[in-house]
Amino acid sequence: MRAAVRVDRTLCYGTGLCEAMAPAVFSLTDEGYAVARPAGDRAAGPERLREIAECCPAGAITVTGPGAGTT
Amino acid sequence: MTSTVAPDIPALFTPAYYQDPFPTLAWLRDHAPVHEFPFPVGDVRTWMVTRYEDVRAVLADSRFSAEGATWGNAEFRAAGLVSAAGTILERGIAVIDPPDHPRLRRLAMSAFTTRRVEQWRGTVHAVVERALDDCERRGAFDVMDDYAGEVSAGVLGAILGFRIERHRELVTALNEAFPSDPALMDRVPAAFGRICAYAAELIDDKRSRPADDLTSALIDATDEGTRLDGDELTGLVAAFIMGGSDTVRGFIGNAALALLDNPGQGDRLRAQPELARSAVEELLRYEGALSTALFRVTTEPVELAGARLPAGAPVIAGLLAANRDPRRFTEPDRLNITAESPRHVAFGHGLHNCIGAALARMEGEIAIPALVARFPTLALAVPRDRVRYIENWAIRRLTSLPVTTSTSRHA
C-alpha cells in the first residue's frame, strides 16, 4: 500500500510549486493548473508528499493512505 | 557584447526604461527573447528573459538556481550581486534551493495558506477604513504614502506585531537593499543588516512578551522542534518584512493609477464590488509590484530558447514582460477587470513563488475597491507626465501618486 495524492482543481492557483518540488509526481496543464501524474505518487514517499502538500500556498494538495495521515 | 536594443528604444535598466519599460520589453520579446546585456552593476554578463513560456520555464527548472552564492560565477559574486551576501539572509528562504528550502517553506507556508490568512480579514478591513478616513479628512493626499503605505505597513505591523513607527526606517532600508544605481552598492550590506537587526529585535521582544501575532507563533513553532535555528527564524521574519511591505504598497499604487488611467474600469468596479477578485488578478497581471524575479544562476550550461548560457550565468526572469506577452494574453496592454485571463506570473512561479500571495490578494481585494468606492471623484492632482516610477530593476512602484478626492468639498 502507498499514499495517494490529489490536487483540488478548484483551489489550485497554478503556482507551479509542486511541479518544481517533484516533477515526477506533479505537472501543470496547458491552462496552468497542477495535476498529479498517473501513478506519480509512486515516485515519492508519503513523508515527501506530505511535505509538498504543506508547502502548497493554496492548500490544494491532499495526501491520503498508509503512513501519510491526512492533510 | 550586446549593450543596447534598437536605437530608438531605451536599453534595459536606464532612466528612460524605468519610466516606460514596455517598448523595451516588447522589442526584446520579439527580437531577443533571451537577451544578453551587461548588468549596470559591475557590467556583469546577464541574460534577460521576456517571453511568458520562457519565464515560466526558467522559474520551474532547477538548473536555474536561486542560490547566487553557491552557483554564481566569480564575476557575479565579485560585483556584489549575491543578494544579502555576508548576512544571515544569504541563506534566506528566497535564495535557497532544496534540500534546505522545503523545511523553511513548509513552516512559513503554514502561516500563509488561503485558509490561514482569512483570520486577518477583519484586521485588513479595519486598517483600510482607518486609512480612508484619514485620507478623506485630508481631501487631497498621496496614494503611495497616505493610503497604500499606511495599509501595507498597518497590516504587516498588526500581523507580525511590530511598532508602526519603525516602518519608514524599514522602507528606507528596503530601497537601499535593492539599488539599481552602482554608486549605491556600498549601502547594500548595511541595509540588509538593519533589516535583520530589526527582525532579531522583534523576536527578542516577542520572546519576553508573547502576543497573538505571527512572530510569536513562529517562535512557538521553532521552539517545538521544527529544526529551525535562531538565524533561520530571524531570516524568515526579515523575509516577511521585506516581502510584505513595499510590494503591497507598490501594487496598490500601480492599481490605483491603472484605474485612474482607465476610468471606465474604475466605474465598473465601483458599481460591481463583486468584481474585486477578477479585478485584482487583472491588475496584478497588468502591473504588479515586481518587474522581475530575483536573480537565477545556471548550475550547468543550459540552452534556452536557442540561446546558449554557460554555467554560473546570471538570469533575470521578466515577470512584467511575461504578463504583457501577446503570445499568452489577448490584448495584454489593455486593462480589462472582467477578463478571464490565463494565470499571470506577478507572484513569480515555481519553488519561490510569493509565499504571501494569499494575503497580498486579500489586501488588494479589500483596499482597491474600497478606495474607488470611498472617492467616486478621485483624480490625479498633478499632470500625468509628472507621475514617476522609482529607478529599481526588480521593484515596480510609483514615487508618489498625488490625488484629489472632491474639488467642491475640499477646494
Side-chain angles (χ1 to χ4, degrees):
Chain A
M1 290 290 282
R2 62 172 196 275
V5 66
R6 196 171 63 80
V7 179
D8 185 333
R9 166 64 185 81
T10 62
L11 295 176
C12 178
Y13 286 155
T15 61
L17 184 119
C18 57
E19 186 193 43
M21 288 181 83
V25 181
F26 301 96
S27 63
L28 293 187
T29 63
D30 286 346
E31 290 75 42
Y33 297 98
V35 290
R37 291 182 186 277
D41 37 16
R42 284 175 212 192
E47 174 54 21
R48 175 68 175 156
L49 293 175
R50 205 159 67 88
E51 178 173 78
I52 295 167
E54 288 183 12
C55 286
C56 172
I61 302 172
T62 312
V63 183
T64 51
T70 301
T71 57
Chain B
M1 186 189 314
T2 323
S3 61
T4 54
V5 293
D8 51 341
I9 291 177
L12 283 172
F13 311 155
T14 55
Y17 165 86
Y18 290 124
Q19 299 315 316
D20 183 10
F22 298 107
T24 307
L25 299 177
W27 191 92
L28 290 174
R29 277 192 309 259
D30 288 343
H31 298 99
V34 181
H35 169 65
E36 185 186 332
F37 73 108
F39 190 77
V41 175
D43 281 341
V44 177
R45 281 177 79 198
T46 299
W47 284 261
M48 174 82 176
V49 182
T50 45
R51 287 186 185 171
Y52 180 91
E53 283 309 320
D54 298 335
V55 163
R56 256 189 33 168
V58 164
L59 296 178
D61 187 336
S62 60
R63 293 174 303 165
F64 295 87
S65 171
E67 292 191 21
T70 309
W71 300 104
N73 60 31
E75 196 190 3
F76 179 79
R77 285 181 279 121
L81 296 179
V82 174
S83 187
T87 74
I88 55 169
L89 285 171
E90 190 176 327
R91 298 289 302 158
I93 187 166
V95 289
I96 58 164
D97 283 341
D100 290 328
H101 178 260
R103 196 166 46 88
L104 280 179
R105 174 89 193 191
R106 191 178 192 177
L107 176 65
M109 199 66 252
S110 68
F112 284 116
T113 60
T114 309
R115 272 170 295 185
R116 291 292 172 83
V117 304
E118 275 303 317
Q119 68 183 304
W120 298 315
R121 186 172 288 276
T123 303
V124 176
H125 271 294
V127 170
V128 163
E129 289 305 314
R130 198 166 60 226
L132 286 172
D133 290 347
D134 186 50
C135 290
E136 190 169 358
R137 271 192 296 276
R138 289 168 192 263
F141 64 96
D142 173 15
V143 171
M144 293 305 293
D145 274 359
D146 301 325
Y147 188 59
E150 291 298 320
V151 169
S152 64
V155 170
L156 188 71
I159 288 173
L160 287 176
F162 72 64
R163 297 186 299 281
I164 200 151
E165 64 270 17
R166 296 301 297 272
H167 183 69
R168 259 172 234 291
E169 295 168 47
L170 284 170
V171 167
T172 305
L174 285 164
N175 287 337
E176 291 181 3
F178 298 100
S180 51
D181 180 348
L184 299 177
M185 281 305 283
D186 58 340
R187 293 190 192 174
V188 171
F192 275 105
R194 289 211 304 283
I195 294 164
C196 294
Y198 183 62
E201 190 186 306
L202 182 63
I203 290 163
D204 282 347
D205 185 39
K206 296 297 169 184
R207 271 198 200 284
S208 51
R209 275 170 300 180
D212 183 20
D213 55 46
L214 181 58
T215 310
S216 303
L218 287 171
I219 292 169
D220 287 347
T222 306
D223 294 348
E224 281 160 16
T226 47
R227 298 176 293 147
L228 203 68
D229 68 29
D231 279 355
E232 287 175 328
L233 174 63
T234 306
L236 210 49
V237 172
F240 290 167
I241 291 170
M242 290 194 294
S245 52
D246 218 32
T247 47
V248 172
R249 176 171 174 241
F251 171 57
I252 294 173
N254 293 349
L257 179 62
L259 293 173
L260 288 169
D261 282 344
N262 297 273
Q265 300 286 300
D267 291 344
R268 185 104 192 244
L269 182 58
R270 190 177 303 111
Q272 293 174 266
E274 68 276 11
L275 291 175
R277 179 158 296 197
S278 75
V280 163
E281 291 311 309
E282 172 67 350
L283 289 160
L284 284 163
R285 181 200 67 77
Y286 186 76
E287 193 158 55
L290 296 181
S291 293
T292 70
L294 296 177
F295 274 114
R296 296 298 191 274
V297 283
T298 50
T299 61
E300 57 183 76
V302 179
E303 190 170 319
L304 176 66
R308 285 170 189 279
L309 280 60
V315 178
I316 297 175
L319 304 178
L320 190 63
N323 283 339
R324 297 288 191 107
D325 186 351
R327 292 158 192 80
R328 182 64 179 175
F329 300 97
T330 311
E331 288 192 88
D333 294 325
R334 193 167 74 86
L335 181 75
N336 176 6
I337 63 167
T338 57
E340 291 280 325
S341 290
R343 200 187 110 76
H344 60 73
V345 289
F347 289 119
H349 184 75
L351 213 52
H352 295 282
N353 74 82
C354 175
I355 207 158
L359 176 61
R361 284 186 161 101
M362 187 169 81
E363 290 185 63
E365 285 167 19
I366 294 171
I368 295 162
L371 179 69
V372 296
R374 178 73 72 102
F375 304 118
T377 57
L378 197 72
L380 274 180
V382 294
R384 181 62 178 82
D385 62 9
R386 294 263 306 277
V387 177
R388 311 284 291 175
Y389 290 85
I390 61 165
E391 298 194 350
N392 184 294
W393 63 276
I395 296 171
R396 178 130 182 100
R397 74 160 171 82
L398 300 166
T399 56
S400 67
L401 183 59
V403 292
T404 56
T405 55
S406 163
T407 45
S408 55
R409 275 181 59 195
H410 298 282

